[in-house]
Amino acid sequence: NAGVMQNPRHLVRRRGQEARLRCSPMKGHSHVYWYRQLPEEGLKFMVYLQKENIIDESGMPKERFSAEFPKEGPSILRIQQVVRGDSAAYFCASSPRRQESNYGYTFGSGTRLTVV
Amino acid sequence: DQQVKQNSPSLSVQEGRISILNCDYTNSMFDYFLWYKKYPAEGPTFLISISSIKDKNEDGRFTVFLNKSAKHLSLHIVPSQPGDSAVYFCAAKFSGNNRLAFGKGNQVVVIP
């Protein structure tokens, strides 16, 4: 029973390129969350998605960032025209349903994006 | 706007002794508080949580205490073990909302 799978684990992009980060939730989980951890910082919420729906994108930067969770396949976090400030660890988490209780959801191992 | 704050970023403790991690929050509307543990190059792992209607929750060696009037919670690990060496994040959420607000984390080093 695989956990939350993120790939790639490490991604290097030059300024101006596009970065695509993928997240496959745990089996049976239909809710996906993306968080970003900048150096020396805690995790910051970016977006919450269900299949084919964006539920809460209040943490997403207004430009260059987008996320999707299609009916088939993994969730994708896409960063266009990357800049050095986008260098961070991006974590995906999943849950089987809207988390009403006080149980934490399951995180993947993250994608470490480095912009050079 | 840091709604969850963890000061004293690092802590060293002898194996077998107690580790105490502190967390303060600013938003009195938070309903649940969670602690996550993170090893290098891995994602955070859920450790223990507490509802705002309680003041203590215990799970094995881990106990979380909540003082709502002070907007303060703490995580006690006793006895500390070398495998507990990790970064610990405090997080908070509102009921009915799936967003977690995280603190910056505390590095714990347990010395054998």
Side-chain angles (χ1 to χ4, degrees):
Chain A
N1 186 15
V4 178
M5 304 300 292
Q6 290 189 249
N7 64 84
R9 289 295 302 271
H10 300 274
L11 182 62
V12 179
R13 284 287 178 267
R14 296 188 182 279
R15 281 179 295 171
Q17 290 185 319
E18 178 180 287
R20 291 171 70 87
L21 288 62
R22 288 177 291 278
C23 169
S24 296
M26 284 185 70
K27 187 176 181 179
H29 286 195
S30 57
H31 297 239
V32 164
Y33 318 83
W34 285 93
Y35 283 78
R36 174 167 68 172
Q37 185 184 20
L38 295 169
E40 309 300 325
E41 297 286 328
L43 283 76
K44 294 281 197 296
F45 170 81
M46 299 183 76
V47 63
Y48 161 36
L49 310 107
Q50 291 179 26
K51 289 278 188 184
E52 300 183 281
N53 277 312
I54 297 175
I55 307 302
D56 180 356
E57 59 180 345
S58 56
M60 289 280 268
K62 293 289 185 279
E63 298 176 349
R64 301 186 299 107
F65 285 73
S66 62
E68 62 176 3
F69 189 16
K71 188 176 179 181
E72 301 290 337
S75 175
I76 305 287
L77 179 67
R78 182 181 177 209
I79 312 172
Q80 296 177 290
Q81 298 174 323
V82 296
V83 301
R84 288 225 170 100
D86 297 332
S87 295
Y90 292 82
F91 292 98
C92 170
S94 73
S95 67
R97 68 187 75 80
R98 186 185 174 94
Q99 288 291 119
E100 296 291 349
S101 69
N102 58 345
Y103 292 101
Y105 34 64
T106 305
F107 279 91
S109 296
T111 293
R112 277 140 191 89
L113 172 66
T114 303
V115 179
V116 297
Chain B
D1 180 21
Q2 194 75 17
Q3 295 191 78
V4 178
K5 299 179 183 178
Q6 294 177 257
N7 297 319
S8 306
S10 65
L11 169 71
S12 290
V13 63
Q14 205 72 34
E15 181 179 2
R17 305 293 290 269
I18 186 171
S19 296
I20 299 176
L21 302 170
N22 294 301
C23 178
D24 297 291
Y25 59 96
T26 57
N27 195 326
S28 58
M29 301 299 291
F30 285 134
D31 288 291
Y32 296 107
F33 303 91
L34 305 92
W35 285 93
Y36 280 82
K37 176 180 177 178
K38 185 181 180 302
Y39 293 119
E42 292 186 14
T45 303
F46 171 70
L47 198 56
I48 192 171
S49 64
I50 189 168
S51 164
S52 61
I53 62 174
K54 296 185 176 180
D55 55 19
K56 178 182 175 182
N57 188 25
E58 189 173 352
D59 184 2
R61 296 185 298 114
F62 303 92
T63 303
V64 56
F65 296 92
L66 175 63
N67 183 335
K68 280 191 69 176
S69 61
K71 297 195 185 70
H72 177 86
L73 63 154
S74 61
L75 174 68
H76 293 209
I77 307 172
V78 56
S80 300
Q81 299 174 352
D84 296 332
S85 297
V87 176
Y88 290 80
F89 291 98
C90 174
K93 69 187 294 285
F94 306 105
S95 178
N97 186 315
N98 284 36
R99 300 177 57 172
L100 289 176
F102 280 88
K104 291 188 178 184
N106 288 128
Q107 174 72 59
V108 172
V109 176
V110 179
I111 304 163

